[in-house]
Amino acid sequence: MDYQDNSIFIGGKPFMNYVTAVVMQFTTKNAQEVILKARGKFISRAVDVSEVAAKRFLEGSASVKDIKINSEEFKNQEGRQVRVSTIEITLSRKQA
Amino acid sequence: MDYQDNSIFIGGKPFMNYVTAVVMQFTTKNAQEVILKARGKFISRAVDVSEVAAKRFLEGSASVKDIKINSEEFKNQEGRQVRVSTIEITLSRKQA
């Protein structure tokens, strides 16, 4: 799994790996926030991970606090300028 | 294209059809807001449409105002309960 601070990058690994990673950040690592990040076709997956983690596993203890979308430009292997969409979903611990 | 008020449902039609629809709502129909809605794998596409419409075609005149994600439950053809993620991206006209 690809961690950086409390960020989790959503890619092509098995779906439940990501859900488990989110839940563990809040439970065993006591995180206040977890940020799910994804690009391109993995954006739909990041939304799925967020929904399943927040509503099935963390209901009442964490919820979506903020969602940002953006674009990144980069050069592909053929040297062409390419645009890809990104998403950042911030899940936040609910105060007791 | 599937309209309802100022909502545009993102599906499998050609990408630029959706971008054009968003731009037209703001330009020729003078809409104050346009809401992009999508489910499941089309969520990534809705983000792409929003980014391209707002940053390439409507830069300075409209921008993302709000993003909501949610889940819908429904019975599939085999009668099984299925969950699908949804997104709603609200694009809003910038005040001059």
Side-chain angles (χ1 to χ4, degrees), chain B residues 4-56:
Chain B
Q4 182 194 307
D5 307 323
N6 289 337
S7 299
I8 298 173
F9 293 89
I10 308 295
K13 289 181 188 152
F15 182 74
M16 285 308 295
N17 289 24
Y18 297 110
V19 174
T20 307
V22 173
V23 174
M24 294 253 304
Q25 286 283 322
F26 281 112
T27 52
T28 68
K29 302 204 175 171
N30 210 32
Q32 292 302 306
E33 282 189 357
V34 174
I35 305 176
L36 300 179
K37 299 182 179 183
R39 306 201 309 170
K41 67 175 179 177
F42 294 115
I43 288 174
S44 306
R45 201 148 212 252
V47 173
D48 284 339
V49 170
S50 170
E51 283 294 304
V52 170
K55 295 194 175 156
R56 196 175 304 165

Side-chain angles (χ1 to χ4, degrees), chain A residues 26-93:
Chain A
F26 280 112
T27 53
T28 70
K29 303 206 175 171
N30 210 32
Q32 292 302 307
E33 283 189 358
V34 174
I35 304 176
L36 299 178
K37 298 183 179 182
R39 307 201 308 171
K41 68 175 179 178
F42 293 115
I43 288 174
S44 306
R45 201 146 211 253
V47 173
D48 284 339
V49 170
S50 171
E51 283 294 302
V52 170
K55 296 195 174 154
R56 197 177 302 164
F57 292 94
L58 297 165
E59 200 181 1
S61 62
S63 62
V64 174
K65 181 187 163 194
D66 190 37
I67 307 169
K68 292 197 184 86
I69 62 175
N70 208 337
S71 298
E72 283 178 15
E73 302 247 353
F74 63 96
K75 275 209 169 71
N76 69 5
Q77 290 181 325
E78 290 90 51
R80 276 188 58 202
Q81 200 74 12
V82 179
R83 193 204 59 79
V84 65
S85 300
T86 64
I87 197 167
E88 290 189 15
I89 304 171
T90 304
L91 294 168
S92 180
R93 180 186 293 279

